[in-house]
Amino acid sequence: MGTLLGVIASPRKFGNSEIFIKEIHRCLEGSWDLRLVRLPELDLRPCLACYQCLFEPMRCVQKDDLELVLEALVHADAVVVAAPTYFLGANASLKRLLDRGLSFYAHIDALWGKPAVGVAIAGVPGLEGYTKLMVDSFLKLILADHRGSEVVYGALPGEVLLGEDGPAAARKLARALELGADGSDPKTPRCPLCGGDTFRFLPPKESKKSEVQRIRCMTCSSEGTVRWDGTSFSVETVRGDHPFFLSREDAVAHLEWLRTMKDLFAKRRDELKAVTRAYKDTGTWIRPEKK
Ligand SMILES: Cc1cc2nc3c(=O)[nH]c(=O)nc-3n(C[C@H](O)[C@H](O)[C@H](O)COP(=O)(O)O)c2cc1C
């Protein structure tokens, strides 16, 4: 109980993302205050890659609505994010916010471990592409306790709650928020370290025949293997040198690593300049005419 923040990555008012979040809120027991942000209507500018937010006073130099969203995330007790699929990925408003994620590190302690769930919505069954992976990445990068995510289908506004599957997914995610377990299908192979279910196949280390396929978890970046034992697939992954993020300490370590890049850049500035200078006059830029 407390404040539930609904992050809607759809421009459509009363669209599927909005009503799905509201349905999860309805399914929660007790009294939850639902606060909502609709990302496409906010002024969230592209990251400038200046890295200034990593150093005191740890604030983005751009004056837009980022602080508004950060405040809402920091003060929420739990988070639900819903993103519609646009051309096989989440609506770009979610990525725009994610691209400003260096600013999240100023709030590691306040953000770490908030219960959170997500939903990827697609109009055509099977055409959700990588939307769920983006939703999962969002929950990871806001440092939340990822308690479950689902793909649900519906094209027309409201369609996602017609039929059985959408309402069942909303109930399941509400229970996950409350109880901490999402009751995911145990037959779905998952990364044992982070629960991610999207993997990249990696080439074998030796060319010999093997019943084991090397993989990388696309959610936490850990490498491992997937094996078919005749009945089911089992996934094993091990912590790498730079996991994204399996613990609060991983997030702090990543922040420290990013900060060291400033000194590294200063040290190697001449060497790097020599590389980039060689490309200075290559190509013709296409830009709008100045008015
Ligand atoms: C520009 C655009 C691209 C879309 N691309 C896809 C797609 O690649 N796959 C898919 O299943 N649905 C696609 N859809 C359909 C939406 O995902 C679907 O209508 C969803 O319910 C919208 O959610 P909303 O009501 O919360 O906006 C697209 C919709 C738009 C407007």
Side-chain angles (χ1 to χ4, degrees):
M1 272 166 281
T3 299
L4 175 68
L5 177 68
V7 179
I8 301 166
S10 165
R12 193 150 70 163
K13 294 204 171 96
F14 299 111
N16 287 314
S17 306
E18 181 179 330
I19 60 156
F20 195 86
I21 286 178
K22 290 178 174 174
E23 178 61 15
I24 290 181
H25 175 246
R26 274 193 190 181
C27 293
L28 289 172
E29 281 167 17
S31 91
W32 284 83
D33 179 23
L34 178 64
R35 301 186 74 207
L36 297 162
V37 282
R38 189 188 306 286
L39 298 180
E41 74 188 17
L42 300 181
D43 177 18
L44 288 170
R45 303 195 198 140
C47 172
L48 297 172
C50 66
Y51 294 92
Q52 290 206 45
C53 58
L54 297 178
F55 301 94
E56 288 302 329
M58 292 192 79
R59 273 178 92 96
C60 182
V61 296
Q62 303 196 72
K63 299 282 166 273
D64 62 3
D65 292 330
L66 180 67
E67 281 297 321
L68 183 88
V69 180
L70 268 174
E71 281 273 298
L73 283 169
V74 162
H75 289 111
D77 297 299
V79 179
V80 51
V81 56
T85 303
Y86 274 29
F87 299 108
L88 303 181
N91 177 283
S93 61
L94 192 70
K95 185 70 171 92
R96 262 207 181 197
L97 174 57
L98 263 187
D99 284 3
R100 303 289 291 284
L102 293 179
S103 293
F104 301 166
Y105 298 118
H107 306 281
I108 291 178
D109 287 327
L111 290 176
W112 182 261
K114 279 183 205 293
V117 295
V119 63
I121 296 170
V124 187
L127 288 201
E128 66 272 15
Y130 52 98
T131 308
K132 181 175 175 292
L133 177 61
M134 284 181 75
V135 164
D136 289 341
S137 302
F138 178 80
L139 296 181
K140 179 152 278 294
L141 294 172
I142 61 164
L143 310 172
D145 173 10
H146 185 323
R147 296 194 171 182
S149 57
E150 295 287 323
V151 177
V152 294
Y153 299 112
L156 309 172
E159 200 182 343
V160 82
L161 291 180
L162 291 177
E164 287 300 308
D165 293 351
R171 282 196 299 276
K172 186 168 154 185
L173 291 175
R175 289 296 81 80
L177 267 184
E178 287 168 336
L179 304 174
D182 73 353
S184 305
D185 179 0
K187 285 191 240 104
T188 302
R190 286 178 186 279
C191 171
L193 293 175
C194 77
D197 63 1
T198 307
F199 302 96
R200 169 155 297 147
F201 287 168
L202 302 176
K205 277 200 169 137
E206 307 103 33
S207 55
K208 65 176 190 231
K209 238 175 111 183
S210 165
E211 274 144 36
V212 175
Q213 170 65 53
R214 290 179 63 231
I215 47 155
R216 177 176 294 121
C217 171
M218 289 292 100
T219 316
C220 70
S221 317
S222 303
E223 269 193 43
T225 54
V226 61
R227 180 192 300 269
W228 173 251
D229 67 8
T231 325
S232 61
F233 285 103
S234 60
V235 175
E236 280 175 32
T237 42
V238 286
R239 261 184 76 91
D241 293 338
H242 212 136
F244 236 63
F245 302 116
L246 298 173
S247 67
R248 184 192 159 281
E249 288 65 39
D250 290 341
V252 174
H254 184 64
L255 168 62
E256 294 305 333
W257 176 82
L258 285 166
R259 283 176 171 156
T260 63
M261 292 311 246
K262 189 179 176 183
D263 292 339
L264 194 62
F265 179 62
K267 224 185 265 169
R268 302 189 72 181
R269 189 191 299 262
D270 293 345
E271 191 189 349
L272 294 165
K273 265 247 160 69
V275 174
T276 53
R277 203 182 299 119
Y279 296 90
K280 190 170 169 284
D281 300 320
T282 307
T284 306
W285 292 102
I286 299 168
R287 288 185 171 126
E289 268 179 42
K290 284 203 177 114
K291 285 176 195 142

